[in-house]
Amino acid sequence: MRVNREPSWKVRVRTSPSMCFALYLRDCAGLGVIGQPAVSPVKPSVHCTDPRQAVHAVGGMTALRVEWEAWWYELVAGRGNGHRVPTPPEFPELQAMPALQQLTHAHYGTALTWTEEYDAAHRERERSRMARGARLDVGELVRERELELGRAARNFTLDIVELPLSETRAWFVEPDMLLVSEDLHDDETAFRSYVQPVVEFIA
């Protein structure tokens, strides 16, 4: 389907500061690879601290793990949209998650600095990719699929969310989102191997 001769599909490639912030806290607290999807640790790795004392009075490590997974689910379901991280000093976004709220109180400054530094580095990396013509044209994959099908692609939006992850791969979140490691995006062959099946599925 095409509207006013324009494609009715859209591919957005971006990062998500809120997801980066959450992943920093996960790794900082030593929670391991948890959540759905269970993405790899961040890169570069962050210093792991023992959060047990900070969360002892509000359910301990079990509560912290459950609350972080619930928060990650919300972020993924919301497609990582927006640039907001929890708001100091009381972090009202985490009101119903007291253990996570305490962890955020303890590490807000370092988590925010890390997130902002990655966001700035990501923007610079994107500028460099564009200047070198090094970004895979996902639109070309869609056009190839249209030729195979003999019809225009269905109306869809594919969100590709790039994150600083240590494992060079992607995680498909149905119906139309890919979480990808930053390094994967710089390997055109590998990146294509993850994106092409998704395009074939949703187009």
Side-chain angles (χ1 to χ4, degrees):
M1 174 182 174
R2 294 181 186 276
V3 179
N4 297 327
R5 297 185 179 180
E6 292 296 320
S8 58
W9 49 267
K10 183 185 296 185
V11 178
R12 299 183 296 206
V13 182
R14 57 191 173 80
T15 189
S16 168
S18 56
M19 284 183 165
C20 289
F21 187 91
L23 290 170
Y24 178 96
L25 289 180
R26 180 198 68 176
D27 290 4
C28 175
L31 294 177
V33 177
I34 61 173
Q36 291 298 324
V39 300
S40 62
V42 296
K43 177 186 177 182
S45 60
V46 300
H47 177 66
C48 185
T49 62
D50 186 348
R52 286 178 292 184
Q53 185 173 351
V55 301
H56 175 73
V58 283
M61 292 300 293
T62 299
L64 179 61
R65 185 171 289 104
V66 169
E67 290 173 12
W68 189 92
E69 288 186 314
W71 185 34
W72 181 247
Y73 178 84
E74 289 177 6
L75 292 174
V76 171
R79 312 179 75 78
N81 285 326
H83 297 277
R84 294 194 57 138
V85 299
T87 310
E90 298 303 324
F91 312 109
E93 300 87 349
L94 306 176
Q95 181 88 31
M97 303 174 179
L100 186 56
Q101 199 173 37
Q102 287 299 315
L103 180 71
T104 306
H105 266 292
H107 298 287
Y108 176 77
T110 53
L112 182 63
T113 298
W114 186 89
T115 299
E116 289 177 340
E117 287 177 351
Y118 171 72
D119 195 44
H122 177 265
R123 288 195 301 271
E124 181 57 38
R125 199 165 182 171
E126 275 292 277
R127 282 192 289 269
S128 176
R129 285 173 182 153
M130 297 295 286
R132 300 191 323 266
R135 175 191 265 187
L136 173 67
D137 182 4
V138 180
E140 186 61 34
L141 296 182
V142 179
R143 287 184 285 275
E144 289 174 8
R145 183 60 173 162
E146 288 178 326
L147 287 174
E148 290 175 5
L149 295 171
R151 61 164 174 80
R154 288 188 287 262
N155 186 17
F156 72 85
T157 298
L158 174 61
D159 276 311
I160 299 176
V161 182
E162 191 171 306
L163 299 168
L165 302 171
S166 58
E167 191 177 353
T168 306
R169 58 161 291 190
W171 292 259
F172 179 48
V173 181
E174 293 192 53
D176 52 13
M177 182 168 70
L178 267 176
L179 303 182
V180 306
S181 64
E182 182 177 58
D183 290 341
L184 178 68
H185 206 158
D186 289 327
D187 183 336
E188 182 173 337
T189 300
F191 187 61
R192 183 184 182 104
S193 73
Y194 280 99
V195 176
Q196 189 166 9
V198 175
V199 168
E200 291 175 355
F201 174 68
I202 65 179

